[in-house]
């Protein structure tokens, strides 16, 4: 079974600065998908960024980018120019390349990010 | 366009009772998944439905059941509620099943079992 580990329960960043959120995972599969989701206090889970394991290039979405290290099974999220609206819980998630129950999202425990004005 | 909607927003039940949670997917989406998120934890997969058939089930007891209707909306039922069932229940919809289809989450139903 796949597992996702987010070992930092909380992080804080100054507005306009850069922060990196860590995530490691364990799998025996060679192809898979990795995600970072944001869950603000309003509770609605929002997809921030996704990475396909077969792609060597790290995904980027505006101020959000990832550092995907497949051999190390590491998938960190970098948030540049942090904004107050970035304050939320962030979840790292894994998804197998199969259908049915195997295509479920497996989430880490999450990290609470606070942004200081 | 409306996103995924869930009802009710909050619910308080007592142990042993039954509860039904409802989810309406984004228009055109045929797959619905249910997740349980206990406070301070990441969501855990409960069920996936696609084209009105159960396509996947997580490690939850038989007290949990679900179904998907012809309009692709879905219900999650939990019988004989336990204190440990207190959680945020999230519904996610996608166009089709399969990992390449992005899952869009609803706001969740907060269930409290007393």
């Amino acid at each position: 079974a796949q597992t996702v580990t987010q070992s930092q329960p909380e992080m804080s960043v100054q507005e306009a600065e850069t922060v990196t959120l860590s995530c490691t995972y364990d799998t025996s599969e060679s192809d898979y998908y990795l995600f970072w989701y944001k869950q603000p206090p309003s509770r609605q889970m929002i997809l921030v960024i996704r990475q396909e394991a077969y792609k060597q290039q790290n995904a980027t979405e505006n101020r959000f980018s990832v550092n995907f290290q497949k051999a190390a099974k590491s998938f960190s999220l970098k948030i540049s120019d942090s904004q107050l609206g970035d304050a939320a819980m962030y979840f790292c998630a894994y998804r197998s390349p199969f259908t049915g129950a195997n295509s479920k999202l497996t989430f880490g425990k999450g990290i609470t990010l606070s942004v200081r004005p | 366009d409306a996103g995924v909607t869930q009802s009710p927003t909050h619910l308080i039940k007592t142990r042993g009772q039954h509860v039904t949670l409802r989810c309406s997917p984004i228009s055109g989406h045929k797959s619905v998944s249910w997740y349980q998120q206990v406070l301070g934890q990441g969501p855990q997969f409960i069920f996936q439905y696609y084209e009105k058939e159960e396509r996947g089930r997580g490690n939850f007891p038989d007290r949990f059941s679900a179904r998907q209707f012809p309009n692709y909306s879905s219900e999650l039922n939990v019988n004989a509620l336990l204190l440990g069932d207190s959680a945020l229940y999230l519904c996610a919809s996608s166009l089709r099943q399969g990992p390449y289809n992005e899952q869009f989450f609803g706001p969740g139903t907060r269930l409290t079992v007393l």
Side-chain angles (χ1 to χ4, degrees):
Chain A
Q2 296 80 24
T3 59
V4 177
T5 302
Q6 293 179 257
S7 56
Q8 308 155 304
E10 296 179 357
M11 284 199 75
S12 180
V13 64
Q14 190 75 34
E15 193 177 5
E17 294 190 345
T18 295
V19 65
T20 298
L21 311 182
S22 302
C23 172
T24 58
Y25 58 94
D26 190 27
T27 183
S28 58
E29 296 169 333
S30 58
D31 194 18
Y32 45 85
Y33 299 78
L34 296 167
F35 306 83
W36 277 98
Y37 280 88
K38 172 185 177 182
Q39 188 177 40
S42 66
R43 306 185 315 210
Q44 192 122 15
M45 193 86 73
I46 304 164
L47 177 64
V48 174
I49 198 165
R50 64 182 278 169
Q51 174 82 42
E52 290 88 353
Y54 64 86
K55 291 185 178 179
Q56 292 186 335
Q57 188 172 7
N58 289 324
T60 299
E61 289 286 344
N62 300 314
R63 299 183 295 108
F64 299 88
S65 62
V66 299
N67 183 7
F68 173 49
Q69 301 289 330
K70 192 173 183 180
K73 296 180 182 174
S74 170
F75 183 60
S76 60
L77 174 69
K78 185 171 82 170
I79 306 174
S80 304
D81 185 25
S82 296
Q83 301 174 0
L84 295 177
D86 294 333
M89 196 142 186
Y90 286 81
F91 292 96
C92 178
Y94 173 101
R95 200 171 188 188
S96 292
F98 307 110
T99 58
N102 291 325
S103 74
K104 67 182 180 186
L105 286 163
T106 300
F107 289 87
K109 288 187 176 181
I111 176 171
T112 301
L113 176 67
S114 58
V115 181
R116 304 186 303 275
Chain B
D1 287 344
V4 178
T5 58
Q6 293 185 244
S7 63
T9 304
H10 296 89
L11 203 51
I12 299 175
K13 292 285 190 178
T14 56
R15 282 177 294 176
Q17 285 189 313
H18 162 90
V19 69
T20 298
L21 310 180
R22 295 178 175 82
C23 171
S24 292
I26 292 171
S27 178
H29 285 196
K30 298 183 177 181
S31 179
V32 169
S33 296
W34 287 94
Y35 292 82
Q36 180 196 65
Q37 186 179 11
V38 173
L39 192 64
Q41 302 291 320
Q44 294 232 311
F45 172 75
I46 311 175
F47 284 111
Q48 184 191 49
Y49 275 77
Y50 176 64
E51 288 285 14
K52 292 152 282 183
E53 290 186 8
E54 181 183 307
R55 300 303 180 110
R57 182 186 183 113
N59 189 22
F60 279 81
D62 291 344
R63 299 185 296 108
F64 288 76
S65 64
R67 55 180 176 168
Q68 187 177 33
F69 299 100
N71 66 353
Y72 302 107
S73 66
S74 178
E75 279 183 359
L76 175 70
N77 295 284
V78 187
N79 292 324
L81 285 167
L82 303 173
L83 295 178
D85 295 331
S86 295
L88 179 67
Y89 288 85
L90 297 170
C91 172
S93 77
S94 58
L95 274 172
R96 288 173 286 277
Q97 64 173 343
Y100 39 83
N101 291 280
E102 181 181 343
Q103 291 195 348
F104 294 84
F105 284 83
T109 293
R110 170 71 66 190
L111 172 64
T112 302
V113 182
L114 302 176

